[in-house]
Amino acid sequence: MSVLPPVRKDRIISQLPKCFSKGATLHTEDGFNAKVKTACQEQRTGTVGFKISKVIVVGDLAVGKTCLINRFCKDVFDKNYKATIGVDFEMERFEVLGVPFSLQLWDTAGQERFKCIASTYYRGAQAIIIVFDLTDVASLHHTRQWLEDAMKENDPTSVLLFLVGTKKDLISPAQYSFNEQDAIKVAQEMKAEYWAVSALSGENVREFFFRLASLTFEANVLAELEKSSSRRIGDVIKISNTTSNLYATSKKKQPNCCQ
Ligand SMILES: Nc1nc2c(ncn2[C@@H]2O[C@H](COP(=O)(O)OP(=O)(O)OP(=O)(O)O)[C@@H](O)[C@H]2O)c(=O)[nH]1
Ligand SMILES: [Mg+2]
């Protein structure tokens, strides 16, 4: 019997959500990977449905990391700044292509004095959200350092990166278009997917987290499929060894293992 409550109706994903900008994403396909869709239909997703994927959120102080998470997870917005001390986390449960999928969102402190505590939680992330304030260009430039610090604890070949500009409500469309060029350049250099959001109005917040959940889910299923296909190759080799010449194989192997 499952002890977990059912997945909320508004956390069900049946199609790959669109990216924010085609020029700032590594995933330009319109839908989920065909192998992933088949695996989900045939219920061959292994441990994905039981795992919790870790997502860390980093960036300068007061750029809006906590507000971004709170808008998505609790649908609230607080205009008063309350610094995060160390770290905080929220759990979000989704259902992607019929498979349960959980994200653990780690909200870290941007203040220098808490950075030391926060960085101890960076390890083992499957996705990293690097946040900057669209009205503060210095916070965009600092994102490279935040990424470098977070990557020291993670595997660059498998982690998904997202560069997110917040407080879109505070900037005029003309100013936004001007700043976007810089942000997209940074995202391309980092190999991150770029998003611009507002926690105050909620603009793009849900779309962003749905996209993140979908891409993290897809990466998990692909890794699981790769693992199970390499296990199958190993099995075939073992069988052919034993069937070719059982006596010769065991004879040859014996001295090796006894030395
Ligand atoms: N107008 C507007 N204000 C925002 C938005 N997001 C955050 N803020 C404000 O920015 C301030 C800082 O927000 P936080 O979410 O606490 O910032 P943080 O990045 O978590 O800061 P640390 O925990 O110190 O690292 C608060 O006063 C928020 O109300 C937004 O989308 N629009
Ligand atoms: Mg915070």
Side-chain angles (χ1 to χ4, degrees), residues 200-259:
L200 182 146
S201 69
E203 183 182 355
N204 296 332
V205 171
R206 180 184 148 92
E207 290 83 348
F208 163 64
F209 279 104
F210 269 44
R211 173 86 177 164
L212 176 139
S214 302
L215 292 178
T216 312
F217 172 82
E218 187 173 82
N220 267 287
V221 177
L222 285 172
E224 194 72 29
L225 291 176
E226 208 166 295
K227 240 185 355 191
S228 61
S229 77
S230 62
R231 266 201 305 266
R232 269 204 297 271
I233 291 168
D235 290 348
V236 171
I237 291 167
K238 229 163 88 193
I239 290 163
S240 62
N241 255 354
T242 43
T243 49
S244 59
N245 188 339
L246 184 63
Y247 181 68
T249 313
S250 57
K251 266 281 199 198
K252 234 189 268 166
K253 273 191 176 162
Q254 232 169 9
N256 279 346
C257 65
C258 298
Q259 271 168 3

Side-chain angles (χ1 to χ4, degrees), residues 59-67 77-84 107-111 166-170 197-200:
D60 276 4
L61 70 125
V63 290
K65 300 179 293 297
T66 303
C67 286
F77 176 79
D78 187 352
K79 63 177 178 15
N80 301 309
Y81 172 49
K82 286 188 212 86
T84 302
D107 178 16
T108 69
Q111 283 197 24
T166 54
K167 311 191 188 181
K168 196 165 181 283
D169 58 281
L170 291 180
V197 303
S198 165
L200 182 146

